[in-house]
């Protein structure tokens, strides 16, 4: 399953009214925070796979809710105003008032998204006895102020792993598939990967890996068009998906 949570720039109008940025500042923030064209990378991979993996693509911007955050005090990004509902921007400026009540957005968007992703994983477990989640992201070449752990290496491809859900074999296949882009790193500048909370730390049949692609590999930063690197990334992601799909 290819999970693409941060590729959209779409913000419903009623949600937009709760954001304090003007239109120009909001567009600039979307340039920085959106994992641009990652849905296209996933689509390119599916078109090349021997057996097409499922795609789970978020149709809304992460400025609505971020489905990959913990929805409670466990989330470390709360310290910079970027929990499930963001109140600060990538440059630590106000996005929403500090007093903003985000729970209605969590109820309206976060929980249904989590339920749908959980159901998709449950379907795979029922059908084939296992589920492999490949989380598709991108990140900027230069560190942004919101990053809590951005002082380390910024390789062309960062692989995020989880001690419970990322087997060594899956990590090795990813390193092989993405070696052509100039190097891979592990858990720097971003670590971990997404697993629905029902299975998180509980069910070893659910394995997962995060792919973080440095944006200069395939696009003009911060929010410009993609280039020929996108097709090559689609090929590498297809190679990984096929290898993961063949392994019981």
């Amino acid at each position: 399953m290819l999970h693409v949570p941060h590729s959209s720039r779409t913000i419903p109008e009623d949600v937009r009214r709760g954001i304090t940025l003007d239109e120009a500042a909001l567009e600039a923030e979307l340039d920085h925070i959106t994992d641009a064209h990652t849905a296209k990378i996933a689509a390119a991979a599916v078109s090349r796979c021997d057996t097409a993996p499922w795609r789970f693509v978020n149709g809304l911007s992460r400025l609505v809710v971020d489905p990959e955050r913990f929805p409670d005090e466990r989330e470390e990004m709360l310290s910079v105003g970027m929990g499930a509902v963001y109140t600060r921007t990538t440059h630590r400026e106000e996005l929403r008032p500090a007093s903003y009540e985000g729970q209605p957005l969590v109820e309206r968007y976060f929980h249904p998204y989590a339920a749908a992703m959980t159901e998709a994983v449950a379907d795979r477990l029922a059908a084939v006895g296992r589920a492999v989640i490949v989380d598709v992201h991108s990140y900027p070449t230069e560190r942004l102020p919101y990053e809590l752990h951005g002082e380390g290496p910024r390789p062309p491809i960062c692989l995020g792993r989880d001690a419970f859900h990322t087997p060594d074999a899956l990590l090795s296949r990813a390193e092989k598939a993405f070696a052509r882009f100039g190097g891979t790193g592990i858990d720097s500048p971003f670590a971990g990967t997404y697993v629905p909370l029902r299975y998180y730390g509980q069910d070893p049949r659910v394995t997962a890996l995060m792919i973080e692609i440095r944006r200069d590999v395939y696009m003009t930063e911060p929010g410009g068009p993609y280039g020929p690197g996108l097709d090559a990334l689609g090929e590498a992601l297809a190679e990984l998906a096929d290898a993961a799909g063949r392994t019981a």
Side-chain angles (χ1 to χ4, degrees), residues 128-144:
V128 298
R130 67 190 184 100
V132 182
I133 302 168
V134 178
D135 211 19
V136 185
H137 292 261
S138 70
Y139 76 97
T141 303
E142 300 295 330
R143 180 181 184 178
L144 290 173

Side-chain angles (χ1 to χ4, degrees), residues 1-12 30 33-40 42 54-69 84 86 105 108-114 116-117 134-137 194:
M1 183 183 303
L2 303 182
H3 180 222
V4 188
H6 295 155
S7 65
S8 177
R9 297 172 69 100
T10 299
I11 302 173
L30 286 167
I33 199 64
T34 303
D35 291 350
H37 315 302
T38 49
K40 290 185 174 66
W54 287 13
R55 276 177 291 166
F56 197 101
V57 181
N58 187 5
L60 296 176
S61 169
R62 64 197 292 191
L63 296 186
V64 179
V65 295
D66 190 332
E68 295 215 318
R69 302 291 197 235
Y86 296 178
L105 293 181
R108 182 178 174 186
Y109 295 108
F110 184 96
H111 289 320
Y113 186 101
M117 185 66 177
V134 178
D135 211 19
V136 185
H137 292 261
Y194 177 79

